[in-house]
Amino acid sequence: MNDRLITVVGGSNWDMFTYTKELPKAGETIKGTDFKTSFGGKASNQCVQAALLGSKCSIITKLSQDIFGQNILKNYKDHNVDCSNITIVPDVPSGIATIIVDSHGENEIIIVGGSNATFTTTDIDNAKPTIDKSLLLLCQLEIADEINLYALKLAKLNKKTKTILNPSPMPKDLNLVKELLEYVDILVVNKHEFNDLAAFDEQHKGNQNTDLKHMEEKSKSIFSRHTQLNVLIVTLGSKGQVLITRSNGCTMIESNINVVAVDTTGAGDSFLGSLAHYLVESSNEPEYTNQKWVDCIKKASKVAAISVTKYGTQTSYPSIKQVEDFKF
């Protein structure tokens, strides 16, 4: 798998977790039960999860010179992530995420961009040789939209690189969404983001139904507007996922995984990093059949399920051996 590179563009954070029985209400002061720190940022999480499963990964990101940035850089090196496209930025703080987690595993998150807010298109241009030899390029929307758009455009200049976008949070600007999705092959969204995307079509505004019939109708509208897009994956939390392809329509992938969740933070990123890994692992096959997509999604779901059984983000992510050894 050494020649099958996954490149991830986006932010790197230092995550600070406060645990409490219930999430605080506005203006309320409550006592916490524990405090932990972890590495985070959606791009960072996805990259490290794929690397833990054995994929060759590179990250395009910006780090501070502060102690948090130094720790983040060491973490990438410890996970054998290619760091040649990491830029160290002086005189700015690291990206920071403050996360409150309740006893049910639900969370609230505040993010400070820090060094992540200093991205320029030059950073993407400098990484072009890496992007050109990548099988997959993963983008999210934690950094500036114009940087993601530039990276996606650059990736689609060559036929080798497939692009995955996790549009979180979903932009409100229809024109921006249209432009981004001109360069996206695979879109991974939750049900709320899927409905937001469908609502750009007047006939689906206000329709929050996520049964297969309505999702099929909405997906036809989405595919008709975005001709580059071939695969839509809608995550439904503990219920599973819906795979929607341009050629095969909707396939419900129900979850039959039972675990005790203690912290769901970063589970979506674990799923995305794992999905990228399993797609690249299968890339020597002549084509991705609908069943191959289903198999990759099911495997990624198992990895993400394991991650919620531990506290933190990357600290909860399993290696390939831990996945193989885990008893559901």
Side-chain angles (χ1 to χ4, degrees):
M1 196 188 302
N2 289 338
D3 60 339
R4 304 178 207 169
L5 179 64
I6 298 169
T7 295
V8 190
V9 181
S12 301
N13 290 335
W14 183 256
D15 288 352
M16 297 183 292
F17 292 84
T18 298
Y19 295 91
T20 181
K21 289 183 179 179
E22 300 291 339
L23 297 173
K25 301 178 181 66
E28 182 182 21
T29 300
I30 60 175
K31 288 185 177 181
T33 57
D34 201 0
F35 176 79
K36 298 179 186 294
T37 60
S38 178
F39 302 101
K42 293 181 75 63
S44 179
N45 292 342
Q46 293 166 20
C47 184
V48 167
Q49 179 64 90
L52 279 165
L53 296 175
S55 281
K56 182 179 180 182
C57 298
S58 182
I59 190 159
I60 306 169
T61 195
K62 308 286 288 280
L63 300 179
S64 170
Q65 286 181 325
D66 63 22
I67 187 64
F68 302 131
Q70 294 172 40
N71 288 339
I72 294 167
L73 180 59
K74 182 179 183 301
N75 181 57
Y76 286 134
K77 291 179 178 179
D78 288 346
H79 286 96
N80 298 314
V81 172
D82 169 41
C83 298
S84 61
N85 297 300
I86 293 177
T87 305
I88 307 300
V89 187
D91 304 321
V92 295
S94 288
I96 297 293
T98 302
I99 303 158
I100 304 173
V101 184
D102 70 13
S103 58
H104 312 290
E106 298 300 319
N107 61 64
E108 293 180 348
I109 305 174
I110 300 174
I111 296 173
V112 177
S115 55
N116 299 317
T118 68
F119 264 95
T120 68
T121 54
T122 301
D123 298 309
I124 307 302
D125 284 329
N126 291 340
K128 185 178 184 297
T130 300
I131 294 173
D132 284 347
K133 62 184 180 183
S134 301
L135 284 187
L136 283 178
L137 180 79
L138 273 70
C139 290
Q140 323 75 29
L141 299 183
E142 280 192 332
I143 60 172
D145 295 330
E146 60 267 23
I147 303 301
N148 285 302
L149 177 59
Y150 194 82
L152 291 166
K153 281 183 178 180
L154 197 64
K156 294 317 296 177
L157 291 177
N158 72 81
K159 294 181 179 180
K160 176 181 179 180
T161 307
K162 297 296 184 183
T163 54
I164 301 180
L165 176 65
N166 174 218
S168 179
M170 177 67 70
K172 302 300 182 186
D173 183 344
L174 173 58
N175 291 327
L176 172 62
V177 172
K178 282 182 176 178
E179 195 168 11
L180 282 168
L181 294 188
E182 283 179 25
Y183 306 96
V184 174
D185 297 297
I186 305 158
L187 188 69
V188 182
V189 294
N190 61 33
K191 63 181 180 180
H192 305 295
E193 292 157 352
F194 176 77
N195 283 326
D196 287 345
L197 188 61
F200 285 126
D201 190 326
E202 196 67 34
Q203 66 175 315
H204 297 304
K205 276 190 176 178
N207 182 353
Q208 299 297 308
N209 288 317
T210 51
D211 59 77
L212 281 187
K213 178 184 176 182
H214 285 92
M215 292 185 82
E216 186 99 48
E217 292 173 0
K218 292 176 184 178
S219 67
K220 288 177 182 177
S221 172
I222 293 168
F223 283 132
S224 69
R225 288 199 310 274
H226 309 294
T227 55
Q228 176 67 36
L229 187 64
N230 285 307
V231 178
L232 247 171
I233 298 171
V234 185
T235 59
L236 303 175
S238 60
K239 293 181 180 178
Q241 301 82 24
V242 177
L243 167 67
I244 313 172
T245 65
R246 187 177 289 275
S247 55
N248 289 298
C250 290
T251 303
M252 179 68 199
I253 305 170
E254 294 183 355
S255 175
N256 57 359
I257 303 169
N258 294 310
V259 296
V260 178
V262 298
D263 186 354
T264 59
T265 311
D269 295 330
S270 175
F271 174 80
L272 275 155
S274 303
L275 179 66
H277 164 76
Y278 290 117
L279 288 173
V280 165
E281 187 180 57
S282 305
S283 63
N284 60 336
E285 299 183 12
E287 63 176 324
Y288 285 112
T289 62
N290 205 63
Q291 187 57 50
K292 178 53 62 180
W293 278 105
V294 170
D295 291 343
C296 289
I297 290 169
K298 284 183 174 180
K299 290 176 182 178
S301 297
K302 289 182 179 179
V303 178
I306 295 171
S307 78
V308 306
T309 65
K310 297 180 181 178
Y311 291 102
T313 41
Q314 291 176 31
T315 51
S316 73
Y317 289 175
S319 66
I320 188 64
K321 185 177 187 310
Q322 289 170 326
V323 172
E324 291 168 350
D325 292 345
F326 193 88
K327 305 299 182 186
F328 287 96

